[in-house]
Amino acid sequence: MKLLMHTCCAPCSVYCIDSLRNEGIEPTCYWYNPNIHPYIEYKTRRDTLIEYSKIADFSLIINEEYGLKEFCKNVIDDLENRCVNYCYQVRLEETVKYAKQNGYDAFTSTLFVSPYQKHEELKRVCEELAEKYKIEFLYRDFRVGFREGQNKARELGLYMQKYCGCIFSEEDRYNKQIGKDREKYS
């Protein structure tokens, strides 16, 4: 099976690649993440994935598009649903298009390893794209290996991000502190 795997970052790819290889599937990783902000975070995650592709010896395709303005324009009116209505859709549709145009049999995503993603909605988006583009969606619930993959990534010294990717998810990670500061200084 010729598989294209949308890849959000190196740490999330570790378990996914190992698991697929154990099944006899050698994925090609595909970087397309215009939702990651600010640029230094985008660059660090991309470069860490490139570094990991050399360590773990897998094929990697980089679709270079940093998209802060486009992202903001498309999510600003519905921030609470940005993951499902924009981030998943845009990144995975670009992946599926590439897979279809370049002779891949199937696609999947490292997003399925994260317990922090909206798993069922993500799966639905992939199923819809598979139907739309007439390509197989290889579904795997990689969450069982999340901690294992994260531990291996740490052992390898890979950059470990602290938030999902967009600027609004970074704000979410600080919400408790923001609330405490508001109480303290008000």
Side-chain angles (χ1 to χ4, degrees):
M1 168 186 296
K2 189 175 176 187
L3 177 69
L4 189 66
M5 182 166 64
H6 168 265
T7 307
C8 60
C9 63
C12 285
S13 72
V14 172
Y15 178 80
C16 300
I17 292 169
D18 289 350
S19 176
L20 289 167
R21 282 177 169 170
N22 286 338
E23 292 183 49
I25 300 169
E26 183 62 36
T28 296
C29 292
Y30 184 75
W31 166 267
Y32 179 72
N33 296 289
N35 62 304
I36 298 174
H37 315 115
Y39 181 71
I40 194 68
E41 182 73 18
Y42 173 92
K43 182 182 181 317
T44 301
R45 291 186 194 195
R46 182 201 60 212
D47 293 351
T48 301
L49 182 61
I50 292 169
E51 173 189 331
Y52 183 56
S53 74
K54 294 172 185 168
I55 293 168
D57 191 30
F58 59 85
S59 295
L60 173 62
I61 297 159
I62 302 290
N63 183 336
E64 184 67 20
E65 184 179 327
Y66 178 72
L68 178 59
K69 289 178 185 176
E70 189 68 19
F71 170 81
C72 289
K73 183 175 79 175
N74 282 282
V75 302
I76 199 66
D77 291 330
D78 191 14
L79 291 176
E80 296 307 311
N81 296 303
R82 67 188 181 273
C83 302
V84 175
N85 293 340
Y86 185 75
C87 289
Y88 297 162
Q89 186 69 39
V90 166
R91 293 188 289 166
L92 291 165
E93 187 155 13
E94 191 69 20
T95 302
V96 171
K97 285 178 185 177
Y98 186 92
K100 188 69 176 176
Q101 292 168 354
N102 290 279
Y104 287 85
D105 302 312
F107 74 97
T108 193
S109 177
T110 59
L111 293 169
F112 287 105
V113 78
S114 174
Y116 305 108
Q117 297 299 325
K118 297 174 174 140
H119 195 89
E120 291 307 315
E121 290 92 336
L122 177 61
K123 184 178 175 190
R124 179 187 52 76
V125 167
C126 287
E127 289 168 344
E128 289 171 0
L129 289 169
E131 178 65 28
K132 178 179 177 180
Y133 289 94
K134 307 295 184 220
I135 188 169
E136 182 184 345
F137 161 48
L138 181 71
Y139 172 69
R140 295 292 185 273
D141 186 347
F142 294 120
R143 290 177 292 187
V144 297
F146 178 73
R147 295 288 172 225
E148 178 185 328
Q150 296 291 292
N151 289 338
K152 185 174 176 183
R154 280 186 191 87
E155 289 170 10
L156 292 167
L158 300 178
Y159 170 72
M160 306 290 289
Q161 63 270 11
K162 306 290 187 233
Y163 60 100
C164 181
C166 80
I167 200 74
F168 302 108
S169 67
E170 184 181 26
E171 179 187 39
D172 289 345
R173 92 180 239 240
Y174 289 114
N175 273 340
K176 281 185 185 177
Q177 185 61 50
I178 291 167
K180 286 178 186 178
D181 288 348
R182 188 176 296 122
E183 287 176 18
K184 183 178 178 179
Y185 297 110
S186 295

